[in-house]
Amino acid sequence: MLKFRNDDLYIENVKLSDIAKEYGTSTYVYSKQQIISNFENYKKAMVLRDGLICFACKTNSSGAILKILAGLGAGADTTSGGEIYRCLKAGFNPSNIVYAGVGKTAEEIEYALKSKIFMFNVESFEELDIIDKIAGKMKRKANIAFRINPYVNPDTHSYIATGKKGTKFGIPYEDAVKAYLTAKKKKNISVVGIHYHIGSQILEVEPFVVAAKKIKKIVDEVEMNGMWISYIDCGGGLGIKYEKGEKVPSPKCLISEIFSVFDKDKKFIFEPGRSIIGNAGHLLAKVLYRKMSGGKSFLITDVGMNDLIRPTLYDAYHEIVPVKKTRVKKVRSDVVGPICESGDFMGKDRMLPIVDQGEYLLVTCAGAYGAAMSSEYNSRPPLAEVLVDGKQTKLIRKRASYKDLVFNEIL
Ligand SMILES: *Cc1c(COP(=O)(O)O)cnc(C)c1O
């Protein structure tokens, strides 16, 4: 939903320079129509089978965004008690909430049970014991799926490959059947599914299918032992196009390939995060200063690694564009922030049109793992977030104040 009209970059029907003037910078800006269209793509791909599309809300847990997705009929994939809280507040039906994570605390498990979420994606034998105990104390039955590590290694950054041998995630593949047999004996546990999630920003369908086939083997073996697995939870991980030339499979292509691996009577859960919100959000920055140093050109902006850590953390690429097309001549520049770290950059060696001091840049496709991963490092107040819908803009998160920074401190 980003496009140039004449010399101005628009998001939906609003000029980004107008948003910058009205709300200041640095600011996250989201397109409601892009979120809807991304979600509908998943929904359409699901039509022939029963199941749920659970938005992975760790990618973006802004209340207004969660509310849009809840309204579209999405479920939620959560990874903490705090995320469950946010999702309930945003209007998700608890029976559409799944909860994964290697380190669920007793308090979080109790809160999830009390909230009547749909299922726990259990990642260790000891976690199973604790859930069984807590559920027993509360006189409840806990629905569970085991998260199985299928030992596949997709082509992505090592920090976001989660389904290969030697990562902390899930039950080791060779222990999967044993886990189900153990669960069968637990009084307060009800087995409803199987879960796997192999990683993030994956641009090929093949590793997903390899994982699905390995999971199918476990399902067959478990069912031969007299148990029934009704839900196949295939996780998230589908990538988005960050860089020109990158090819991305559609949800339809991915999902139909996975469907073909499993029997027709299975229900499915998908947990897309990045592919729902990634290209729907962008980060607006202002050029504070320009300088040449060591033979290089630097654009110093008001966006720091505390606002968007992906370039620093994963060496991630985000395309950066001036919001006004005023110059043709380009210069190779580093786009950096104000923070006292050499890792504080949004882009390196970018060929960008010459921009003046005070002009605005857009760091694109920052909707996923952007605001959600931001921090107050360097005592920079959390930034503002704006939602665009057609011609309308709405502030969905106020820029924090200095007072907010010290709100919980005790002197
Ligand atoms: C992070 C995560 C997701 C979402 O991954 P994306 O790559 O953002 O789609 C889904 N499921 C689980 C268990 C996750 O940890």
Side-chain angles (χ1 to χ4, degrees):
M1 309 280 163
L2 285 180
K3 57 179 175 296
F4 274 102
R5 284 190 210 154
N6 300 321
D7 284 344
D8 285 293
L9 186 60
Y10 280 73
I11 180 164
E12 298 199 21
N13 295 319
V14 184
K15 258 189 221 175
L16 279 149
S17 56
D18 287 347
I19 296 177
K21 279 176 213 147
E22 183 169 354
Y23 299 98
T25 53
S26 46
T27 295
Y28 275 101
V29 185
Y30 303 96
S31 157
K32 183 173 179 181
Q33 293 310 315
Q34 186 72 61
I35 298 170
I36 294 174
S37 137
N38 292 343
F39 181 75
E40 293 298 329
N41 280 342
Y42 270 94
K43 218 162 134 180
K44 277 183 235 154
M46 283 284 279
V47 286
L48 294 174
R49 304 282 180 101
D50 206 358
L52 266 180
I53 301 151
C54 291
F55 174 59
C57 66
K58 72 168 188 279
T59 56
N60 192 311
S61 49
S62 181
I65 284 163
L66 295 179
K67 207 167 145 187
I68 294 171
L69 286 155
L72 293 170
D77 162 46
T78 60
T79 57
S80 71
E83 284 186 358
I84 295 172
Y85 174 80
R86 279 177 177 275
C87 286
L88 293 173
K89 228 174 130 80
F92 283 93
N93 188 332
S95 61
N96 292 341
I97 295 177
V98 298
Y99 178 20
V102 288
K104 304 177 186 80
T105 65
E107 290 78 13
E108 288 177 310
I109 291 166
E110 199 177 318
Y111 175 63
L113 281 167
K114 213 166 64 190
S115 306
K116 303 199 163 110
I117 65 157
F118 177 55
M119 77 176 179
F120 292 84
N121 291 334
V122 177
E123 308 214 16
S124 65
F125 285 82
E126 292 191 352
E127 182 193 333
L128 179 73
D129 288 342
I130 297 282
I131 294 176
D132 179 54
K133 270 205 196 94
I134 295 174
K137 243 189 350 213
M138 295 173 69
K139 302 203 163 46
R140 284 261 165 75
K141 254 198 157 178
N143 281 346
I144 67 124
F146 283 107
R147 176 173 182 171
I148 305 299
N149 185 340
Y151 297 164
V152 297
N153 191 7
D155 179 21
T156 190
H157 192 282
S158 67
Y159 289 5
I160 50 176
T162 56
K164 60 181 187 181
K165 205 168 184 165
T167 62
K168 68 178 177 179
F169 298 100
I171 303 275
Y173 190 73
E174 63 274 12
D175 293 341
V177 177
K178 189 174 130 204
Y180 281 91
L181 295 176
T182 309
K184 196 178 176 182
K185 290 183 227 135
K186 302 274 185 202
K187 270 203 344 239
N188 311 300
I189 295 288
S190 173
V191 170
V192 294
I194 192 162
H195 175 233
Y196 63 103
H197 169 73
I198 58 174
S200 197
Q201 187 51 19
I202 299 166
L203 295 172
E204 289 157 341
V205 171
E206 197 227 34
F208 290 106
V209 174
V210 172
K213 286 182 174 160
K214 292 180 100 170
I215 293 296
K216 168 74 162 67
K217 273 197 185 143
I218 305 292
V219 173
D220 288 346
E221 223 178 309
V222 169
E223 293 188 341
M224 273 191 293
N225 281 284
M227 302 174 80
W228 174 244
I229 290 179
S230 57
Y231 281 89
I232 314 289
D233 181 344
C234 309
L238 188 60
I240 64 168
K241 186 172 153 185
Y242 284 108
E243 231 169 310
K244 280 198 188 89
E246 269 176 335
K247 280 236 162 63
V248 186
S250 66
K252 187 173 174 194
C253 170
L254 168 70
I255 287 178
S256 63
E257 290 273 341
I258 290 177
F259 281 170
S260 70
V261 173
F262 295 96
D263 297 341
K264 291 232 156 37
D265 53 359
K266 294 298 176 204
K267 295 178 194 169
F268 290 85
I269 295 172
F270 289 91
E271 301 172 342
R274 190 191 306 272
S275 50
I276 298 281
I277 192 67
N279 69 355
H282 314 278
L283 184 49
L284 254 177
K286 183 158 80 179
V287 177
L288 300 174
Y289 304 107
R290 303 172 301 171
K291 72 175 167 192
M292 292 292 297
S293 182
K296 280 180 91 160
S297 155
F298 289 90
L299 294 175
I300 300 158
T301 75
D302 56 359
V303 159
M305 63 190 265
N306 70 303
D307 302 315
L308 177 65
I309 203 172
R310 297 192 67 258
T312 311
L313 187 60
Y314 309 125
D315 220 358
Y317 182 95
H318 288 270
E319 201 180 331
I320 300 169
V321 282
V323 305
K324 271 190 190 295
K325 213 192 264 176
T326 47
R327 302 251 179 53
V328 181
K329 191 167 177 230
K330 291 185 174 175
V331 196
R332 189 176 297 282
S333 306
D334 280 11
V335 179
V336 301
I339 288 179
C340 308
E341 303 257 353
S342 298
D344 180 33
F345 62 89
M346 290 297 125
K348 285 193 166 163
D349 293 320
R350 299 297 177 84
M351 285 307 288
L352 289 174
I354 293 175
V355 287
D356 287 330
Q357 192 181 22
E359 280 188 44
Y360 301 112
L361 299 176
L362 194 71
V363 183
T364 62
C365 293
Y369 307 101
M373 273 190 165
S374 66
S375 76
E376 295 174 356
Y377 184 44
N378 270 212
S379 286
R380 287 165 47 83
L383 35 59
E385 292 179 78
V386 170
L387 181 69
V388 176
D389 181 12
K391 281 185 185 164
Q392 287 172 332
T393 61
K394 190 176 148 203
L395 185 66
I396 57 170
R397 187 176 195 205
K398 281 196 285 191
R399 190 177 303 284
S401 65
Y402 292 155
K403 251 189 174 162
D404 295 330
L405 291 177
V406 297
F407 182 70
N408 280 320
E409 288 184 14
I410 298 157
L411 294 181

